[in-house]
């Protein structure tokens, strides 16, 4: 693609012949990635302004600069310069053009919500692959299609990486893709892509270190259901949790899409007769034509029933076989770090889960509490991340105190905060815990070494007990200060349980 082809949306340009026919080598918004012949888009970020680096960028001989102001463009720069009102808004458009609109012929899906996004993407992927609609996934754990994987550090990538990944999916033979749409990405306009189907799971307290309040958090999520995300000449649909108070608000706001409501209340897809165990779940699903489907899933917890139903409704929205999808759930192997189980030979039940919000932790613990044997204990190992919403720390402590028989408070990813201070804030929920239990054991202990905390939980347990290690899920690292250290909750729990 030539510069002229890429920038013909910019209106009248006084092209030099050598400029307009030049084929740029790359599109970047990070000054460190600029190379000769690339295009640099100077974006004003929340912490860094790309315009500050134009002097150094120009020395690398990019073919073009896209800027909001000419003031920092060196007079010596000889390439093309495009002045726009908002580089952040133009970046997704340029990225889509640069990679030749890879999503045009793909079934495109996006899921948003506080909890359940990753689970829904993995379940949808499995069901689509089973129906020969090979699905690429862009999410928290990684980007992948079948066995091909790319690492990531963001739930939703920047616009350039997003379009490049879609291009990669097309090269790998994808027929569809699903992306986790975070509130940050939606508010920062990192995702400006049309979607056939959009999915809302739930909304509860999270990211209030970024959003000023819950209204702003919800409004950011709701952007996905607005007109700019509609796909032209397509049956656009929305899958919305009708049992969630914010889901009900979203139903009222959504326009231009067929709305499919799901939940246990009177909806289009009604969940009933849930029977749970530590090895899986059974439930009934009434569909719009009145038929009742019996669904069996190898997943634990009522919250996973909702995740599975969101995925099933998405399959229906795409016009694929719902009955086959129900059958295909039998071969679903689960989601890394989402109630991922380790069962010991001594009859102990261990689970690793990404629950890092009060709502998510309560859903997981309440599910496990119902399923354990009456005499067995529920043990919870958890912490809270540093440089994140401090207000949720005491709330998570309160949840563990309410639902667990024994809590082990430890570190998560402390980042640049003092781990002991984070733990102190969590422990405020246990200040009036009262005397030890009848066996003399306190209901809560503190162990700031996460491996030792997991070890302690395992050594305190007895046959039949259930151990939950919460907060980090699939992550295979721990961030302490600026260091990213190898650490895997699942491997640790497996080590000490077995």
């Amino acid at each position: 693609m030539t510069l002229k082809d890429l920038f013909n949306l910019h209106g009248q340009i006084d092209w030099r012949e050598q400029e307009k026919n030049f084929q740029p080598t790359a599109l970047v918004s990070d000054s460190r990635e600029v190379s000769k012949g690339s295009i640099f888009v100077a974006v004003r970020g929340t912490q860094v302004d790309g315009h500050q680096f134009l002097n150094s960028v120009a020395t690398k001989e990019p073919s073009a600069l896209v800027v909001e102001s000419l003031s920092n463009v060196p007079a010596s720069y000889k390439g093309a310069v495009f002045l726009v009102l908002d580089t952040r808004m133009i970046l997704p458009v340029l990225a889509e053009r640069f990679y030749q609109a890879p999503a045009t012929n793909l079934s495109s899906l996006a899921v948003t919500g506080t909890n359940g996004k990753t689970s829904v993407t993995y379940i949808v992927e499995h069901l689509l692959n089973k129906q020969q609609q090979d699905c690429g996934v862009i999410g928290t754990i990684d980007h992948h299609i079948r066995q091909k994987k790319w690492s990531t550090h963001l739930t939703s990538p920047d616009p350039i990486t997003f379009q490049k990944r879609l291009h990669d999916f097309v090269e790998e033979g994808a027929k569809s893709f699903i992306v986790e749409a975070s509130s940050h990405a939606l508010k920062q306009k990192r995702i400006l892509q049309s979607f056939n189907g959009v999915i809302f799971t739930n909304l509860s307290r999270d990211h209030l270190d970024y959003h000023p309040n819950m209204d702003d958090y919800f409004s950011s999520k709701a952007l996905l259901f607005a007109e700019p995300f509609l796909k032209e000449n397509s049956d656009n649909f929305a899958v919305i949790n009708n049992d969630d108070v914010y889901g009900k608000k979203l139903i009222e706001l959504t326009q231009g899409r067929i709305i499919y409501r799901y939940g246990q209340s009177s909806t289009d897809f009604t969940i009933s007769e849930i029977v749970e165990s530590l090895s899986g779940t059974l439930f009934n699903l009434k569909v719009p034509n009145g038929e009742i489907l019996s669904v069996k899933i190898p997943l634990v917890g009522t919250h996973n029933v909702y995740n599975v139903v969101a995925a099933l409704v998405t399959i229906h929205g795409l016009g694929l076989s719902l009955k086959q999808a129900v059958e295909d759930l039998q071969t679903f192997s689960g989601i890394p770090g989402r109630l991922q189980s380790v069962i010991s030979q001594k009859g102990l039940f261990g689970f690793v889960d990404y629950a890092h919000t009060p709502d998510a932790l309560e859903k997981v613990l309440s599910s496990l509490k119902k399923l354990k044997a009456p005499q067995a204990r529920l043990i919870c190992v958890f912490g809270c991340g540093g440089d994140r919403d401090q207000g949720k720390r005491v709330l998570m402590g309160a949840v563990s105190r309410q639902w667990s028989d024994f809590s082990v408070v430890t570190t998560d990813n402390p980042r640049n905060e003092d781990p002991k201070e984070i733990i102190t804030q969590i422990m405020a929920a246990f200040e009036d815990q009262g005397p030890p239990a009848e066996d003399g054991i306190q209901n809560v202990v503190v162990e700031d070494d996460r491996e030792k905390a997991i070890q302690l939980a395992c050594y305190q347990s007895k046959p039949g007990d259930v151990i939950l290690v919460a907060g980090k899920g699939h992550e295979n690292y721990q961030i302490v200060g600026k260091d990213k250290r190898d650490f895997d909750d699942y491997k640790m729990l497996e080590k000490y349980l077995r």
Side-chain angles (χ1 to χ4, degrees):
M1 176 174 285
T2 65
L3 281 176
K4 183 178 179 181
D5 292 333
L6 185 61
F7 286 99
N8 63 12
L9 78 167
H10 195 264
Q12 296 296 319
I13 301 173
D14 185 16
W15 289 105
R16 294 196 296 267
E17 192 65 30
Q18 68 272 22
E19 286 180 345
K20 71 179 184 181
N21 293 320
F22 184 83
Q23 294 188 334
T25 56
L27 177 69
V28 300
S29 59
D30 186 332
S31 61
R32 296 166 296 184
E33 298 176 359
V34 176
S35 59
K36 186 174 181 178
S38 63
I39 299 168
F40 174 65
V41 184
V43 176
R44 299 187 193 276
T46 55
Q47 298 180 345
V48 178
D49 183 355
H51 293 79
Q52 297 174 351
F53 305 102
L54 289 174
N55 271 317
S56 62
V57 163
T59 65
K60 301 177 183 179
E61 301 182 48
S63 61
L65 303 175
V66 184
V67 298
E68 294 177 9
S69 169
L70 299 175
S71 59
N72 286 19
V73 178
S76 59
Y77 178 66
K78 301 301 182 184
V81 179
F82 300 96
L83 182 64
V84 300
L85 291 175
D86 188 337
T87 51
R88 185 181 292 280
M89 283 293 291
I90 203 70
L91 185 58
V93 178
L94 291 176
E96 185 177 30
R97 280 171 160 257
F98 186 82
Y99 287 103
Q100 300 177 319
T104 301
N105 296 315
L106 299 177
S107 293
S108 51
L109 303 166
V111 55
T112 196
T114 303
N115 302 310
K117 296 188 297 297
T118 299
S119 297
V120 171
T121 61
Y122 270 70
I123 300 165
V124 167
E125 174 202 18
H126 173 78
L127 299 179
L128 286 175
N129 286 353
K130 284 289 188 178
Q131 298 201 33
Q132 286 72 55
Q133 299 294 315
D134 284 9
C135 182
V137 174
I138 297 175
T140 303
I141 296 177
D142 60 25
H143 302 169
H144 66 269
I145 178 167
R146 296 185 299 275
Q147 302 306 312
K148 179 79 172 179
K149 295 182 179 181
W150 299 264
S151 61
T152 183
H153 65 282
L154 293 171
T155 296
S156 307
D158 64 88
I160 297 172
T161 302
F162 180 57
Q163 293 297 330
K164 183 180 187 303
R165 196 63 67 237
L166 297 184
H167 176 79
D168 292 333
F169 289 164
V170 171
E171 292 289 301
E172 293 290 329
K175 299 289 197 312
S176 60
F177 75 91
I178 185 166
V179 58
E180 292 184 46
S182 69
S183 59
H184 293 65
L186 291 166
K187 188 173 183 177
Q188 295 169 7
K189 302 179 178 63
R190 280 192 267 136
I191 295 178
L192 285 177
Q193 172 71 51
S194 58
F195 295 100
N196 297 99
V198 290
I199 307 156
F200 175 81
T201 57
N202 50 66
L203 197 81
S204 60
R205 181 179 179 131
D206 199 12
H207 302 306
L208 294 190
D209 54 315
Y210 175 75
H211 297 284
N213 50 54
M214 287 296 292
D215 286 340
D216 184 77
Y217 183 30
F218 170 68
S219 296
S220 298
K221 295 285 192 186
L223 290 171
L224 183 62
F225 294 76
E227 184 176 348
F229 295 93
L230 290 171
K231 194 163 188 175
E232 291 184 5
N233 304 317
S234 177
D235 292 331
N236 295 286
F237 65 92
V239 178
I240 301 176
N241 180 357
N242 192 62
D243 289 348
D244 186 271
V245 62
Y246 287 100
K248 288 182 170 66
K249 287 185 180 181
L250 195 55
I251 289 168
E252 295 176 0
L253 294 173
T254 301
Q255 295 181 349
R257 292 184 182 273
I258 302 168
I259 298 175
Y260 297 117
R261 302 168 301 157
Y262 70 95
Q264 295 188 67
S265 56
S266 180
T267 63
D268 305 306
F269 290 81
T270 307
I271 302 164
S272 64
E273 304 297 328
I274 300 174
V275 179
E276 302 179 66
S277 74
L278 286 171
S279 59
T281 310
L282 297 169
F283 65 94
N284 289 338
L285 181 64
K286 185 177 180 181
V287 299
N289 66 6
E291 186 177 2
I292 297 177
L293 304 177
S294 178
V295 184
K296 181 180 180 180
I297 58 174
L299 301 173
V300 175
T302 301
H303 64 290
N304 270 322
V305 171
Y306 279 77
N307 294 334
V308 165
V309 172
L312 289 173
V313 178
T314 301
I315 295 300
H316 173 82
L318 290 172
L320 300 173
S321 172
L322 192 56
K323 287 187 177 180
Q324 182 182 331
V326 170
E327 292 178 11
D328 291 336
L329 286 169
Q330 300 305 304
T331 55
F332 182 62
S333 58
I335 308 104
R338 270 63 177 178
L339 269 183
Q340 193 173 4
S341 65
V342 181
I343 300 175
S344 78
Q345 294 178 347
K346 296 181 179 179
L348 298 169
F349 300 90
F351 294 91
V352 171
D353 195 84
Y354 191 51
H356 59 280
T357 67
D359 180 66
L361 188 62
E362 182 168 15
K363 285 178 178 174
V364 172
L365 285 174
S366 61
S367 293
L368 293 176
K369 187 87 168 179
K370 285 188 298 183
L371 302 179
K372 72 176 184 63
Q375 72 279 8
R377 292 189 304 163
L378 175 57
I379 301 170
C380 179
V381 182
F382 77 103
C384 291
D387 302 335
R388 298 293 187 269
D389 176 16
Q390 295 188 15
K392 72 179 182 181
R393 293 170 184 173
V394 67
L395 299 178
M396 290 187 67
V399 167
S400 186
R401 174 179 175 173
Q402 177 183 355
W403 292 101
S404 306
D405 298 297
F406 181 50
S407 300
V408 184
V409 179
T410 186
T411 54
D412 190 282
N413 291 319
R415 299 182 178 89
N416 297 306
E417 286 195 62
D418 180 354
K420 289 182 171 55
E421 177 58 29
I422 297 173
I423 290 172
T424 297
Q425 293 178 36
I426 296 170
M427 287 299 295
F430 295 92
E431 285 179 352
D432 59 343
Q433 65 169 323
E438 292 181 4
D439 55 8
I441 299 175
Q442 288 281 3
N443 294 329
V444 60
V445 296
V446 170
E447 173 52 71
D448 57 11
D449 183 306
R450 194 170 177 92
E451 178 176 357
K452 289 181 179 178
I454 295 171
Q455 181 184 30
L456 186 154
C458 293
Y459 289 179
Q460 286 281 358
S461 59
K462 301 174 182 177
D465 286 353
V466 177
I467 301 170
L468 172 68
V469 182
K472 290 173 52 59
H474 63 279
E475 294 176 353
N476 57 6
Y477 57 82
Q478 187 174 30
I479 303 173
V480 181
K482 298 294 184 182
D483 297 332
K484 194 172 185 179
R485 306 171 182 175
D486 290 342
F487 194 91
D488 190 313
D489 279 355
Y490 185 83
K491 289 181 179 178
M492 290 298 172
L493 184 59
E494 188 176 46
K495 172 182 176 180
Y496 291 111
L497 272 186
R498 292 182 176 173

